[in-house]
Amino acid sequence: MSIIVQKYGGTSMANSECVKNVAEKVVNAKLRGHDVVVVVSAPAGFTDHLVSRAKEITDKPSGRELDMILATGEQISISLLAMAIKALGEDAISFTSAQVGIITDGNHNKAKIEAINTDKLLKALGEGKIVIIAGFQGVTKDLEITTLGRGGSDTSAVAIGVALDAAEVEIYTDVDGIYTADPRVVPNAHKMDYITFDEMLEMAGSGAKVLHLRSVELAAKNNMPIHLRSSFSDAIGTYVLDEEDKMEHVLVRGVAHTTNNAKITIANIDNTSKNIALIFKTISDANINVDVITQNYINIDRITISFTVAQEEYDRALELSKDLGRRLKADEVYGNEKVAKVCIIGVGMKSTSGVASRVFTCLADHNVAIDMVSTSDINITCVVNQDDYAKAVIAIHNEFEL
Ligand code: ASP
Ligand code: MG
């Protein structure tokens, strides 16, 4: 019998009605003939609540004690779900990570899974039980409780799927799939049937927040298909797969965007790699994440460097950059606190030329000024003024007939 891993997120576990609904879906999968392993998140809002309880005590709780409290939310969900499944007449057993042996490194609050012991899981499945596992948490070799970072139960589910060599991992959530653009911005955006791992990684890294990034990385590395779908309907969602040949050939799969960006420019400095290294070392030493970077030549000896950071980091990054500007004798250091990133993503552009020119022409036709551009073989990212992002996303969505 094939093993299937199902993961239910916080909104699917929000209250008793939701838990009973999940129990029915799980039992249906079992009745269809699968061995079913379920990974669950804490009830919606519960982990936030635990974080705020900790912060009421101290601004800086230790990582170990924070994990101790954060790991409790998922334990509520596994117990309730096991009860609900048993009430429907199927046998089920719940396990914490420590009971299973989901071994992580010791990096509290952002631990990485190193190994999963499948003995107990396979034994329980062999006895005909539905197995329910707490997501998000792990345990070190020394039995210290850890968590994988917020949103981490997607990653738990994929890791467990890989360990058990499951047929697929179904991730049930409150949306019915991955969309060609954010439907709040593009009303005629539609749900995709398929997306490749690489495209999903780009989408997830560019504002589409449906899946924990590490879960996609892990699925890609192990070629584990993910089926992202709604826990409130039986409709097919979106498959995240390796098999491009199964999919319709499209140039552009989707348009993602982020609006939480700010841009800083250090204008007219000496063009030496030492200067460029100094800029990005200073920013990264301050623990600020740099996103898009461009370098423009004034002449062969002088350049202007621009980069984007998250808006929360803007003030600090600008202050550091002004200081750098003085040291590097820049003409000027300035910023724009409100820019947006529009990312055009599709594996089809690897083998087809002219996508970038169509993007730029389309944006020009719609009077959207492009501030910065960065590209990979499957992603064209344009930084635009914040006021223009919706216009840009809609125009590109239309241009490529998504
Ligand atoms: N409950 C955890 C969180 O809220 C993990 C998860 O939902 O994936 O971040
Ligand atoms: Mg989530």
Side-chain angles (χ1 to χ4, degrees):
M1 242 190 313
S2 70
I3 298 178
I4 177 163
V5 174
Q6 298 190 326
K7 182 255 165 176
Y8 293 91
T11 44
S12 314
M13 299 298 290
N15 55 42
S16 306
E17 274 324 296
C18 294
V19 173
K20 289 178 187 171
N21 170 54
V22 167
E24 272 178 36
K25 291 183 100 73
V26 172
V27 168
N28 283 340
K30 170 86 183 161
L31 295 179
R32 282 197 301 274
H34 293 294
D35 279 337
V36 189
V37 175
V38 189
V39 177
V40 286
S41 296
F46 201 81
T47 310
D48 288 335
H49 169 70
L50 296 173
V51 171
S52 52
R53 285 298 302 271
K55 294 274 160 82
E56 277 167 31
I57 303 287
T58 165
D59 276 350
K60 289 198 178 70
S62 81
R64 180 184 188 275
E65 300 310 330
L66 192 59
D67 277 347
M68 195 65 95
I69 188 170
L70 290 190
T72 62
E74 274 64 19
Q75 199 168 329
I76 295 174
S77 294
I78 55 171
S79 147
L80 293 175
L81 183 58
M83 292 176 198
I85 292 172
K86 283 177 183 246
L88 294 175
E90 280 292 331
D91 201 3
I93 182 165
S94 66
F95 292 119
T96 63
S97 291
Q99 288 177 306
V100 175
I102 299 182
I103 308 298
T104 70
D105 62 22
N107 281 315
H108 283 291
N109 317 140
K110 47 174 188 302
K112 288 219 162 71
I113 297 176
E114 290 178 340
I116 296 180
N117 186 342
T118 55
D119 295 350
K120 266 197 184 146
L121 307 180
L122 293 172
K123 179 161 175 288
L125 291 174
E127 292 163 357
K129 292 181 174 128
I130 292 168
V131 172
I132 304 160
I133 306 172
F136 180 51
Q137 48 171 260
V139 70
T140 66
K141 285 193 203 79
D142 305 324
L143 298 182
E144 291 293 323
I145 292 177
T146 55
T147 63
L148 309 182
R150 298 303 306 273
S153 47
D154 294 341
T155 299
S156 306
V158 173
I160 289 165
V162 170
L164 290 171
D165 197 19
E168 70 178 36
V169 175
E170 292 186 319
I171 299 204
Y172 286 90
T173 180
D174 51 1
V175 294
D176 56 3
I178 317 279
Y179 276 70
T180 48
D182 184 339
R184 286 167 300 189
V185 175
V186 185
N188 64 342
H190 67 266
K191 183 185 75 64
M192 306 173 195
D193 293 336
Y194 299 103
I195 183 170
T196 68
F197 288 124
D198 288 345
E199 290 167 332
M200 190 62 228
L201 280 172
E202 297 282 349
M203 295 282 286
S206 308
K209 288 266 152 18
V210 261
L211 286 170
H212 197 227
L213 191 59
R214 260 166 54 209
S215 71
V216 187
E217 284 167 2
L218 197 61
K221 200 167 126 202
N222 294 282
N223 199 4
M224 172 59 63
I226 295 178
H227 182 186
L228 184 96
R229 58 194 306 190
S230 165
S231 54
F232 305 107
S233 85
D234 288 325
I236 301 287
T238 301
Y239 279 93
V240 190
L241 295 169
D242 197 16
E243 298 152 73
E244 247 174 84
D245 45 324
K246 268 202 181 165
M247 307 179 196
E248 196 189 339
H249 180 82
V250 290
L251 273 184
V252 172
R253 185 87 55 196
V255 190
H257 71 270
T258 58
T259 53
N260 177 36
N261 312 93
K263 177 188 164 188
I264 291 174
T265 299
I266 303 178
N268 202 350
I269 57 172
D270 272 340
N271 177 16
T272 66
S273 35
K274 235 170 140 187
N275 283 351
I276 300 171
L278 177 70
I279 293 173
F280 293 106
K281 175 152 192 331
T282 307
I283 302 293
S284 87
D285 283 352
N287 247 324
I288 297 172
N289 233 346
V290 169
D291 190 8
V292 180
I293 300 175
T294 55
Q295 166 183 339
N296 293 311
Y297 283 87
I298 310 238
N299 57 46
I300 192 113
D301 301 320
R302 304 282 290 177
I303 53 169
T304 289
I305 297 277
S306 297
F307 57 91
T308 63
V309 295
Q311 265 160 25
E312 308 84 85
E313 318 271 37
Y314 176 72
D315 289 338
R316 268 191 327 132
L318 186 61
E319 203 180 302
L320 290 168
S321 301
K322 288 205 161 137
D323 190 46
L324 281 163
R326 280 187 285 275
R327 285 165 66 189
L328 302 178
K329 302 197 168 53
D331 267 5
E332 213 186 339
V333 174
Y334 54 90
N336 179 352
E337 196 175 351
K338 283 196 157 76
V339 295
K341 232 171 55 166
V342 176
C343 309
I344 298 98
I345 293 155
V347 288
M349 59 178 92
K350 260 198 270 197
S351 50
T352 312
S353 58
V355 179
S357 93
R358 260 173 85 183
V359 167
F360 301 147
T361 309
C362 165
L363 292 180
D365 288 348
H366 289 83
N367 292 318
V368 176
I370 305 169
D371 220 347
M372 301 163 86
V373 179
S374 92
T375 59
S376 77
D377 55 351
I378 66 165
N379 181 350
I380 299 169
T381 292
C382 299
V383 174
V384 301
N385 219 305
Q386 188 121 111
D387 297 334
D388 283 340
Y389 85 86
K391 193 161 78 170
V393 173
I394 293 168
I396 288 166
H397 197 269
N398 286 337
E399 167 68 24
F400 291 94
E401 291 165 19
L402 298 184

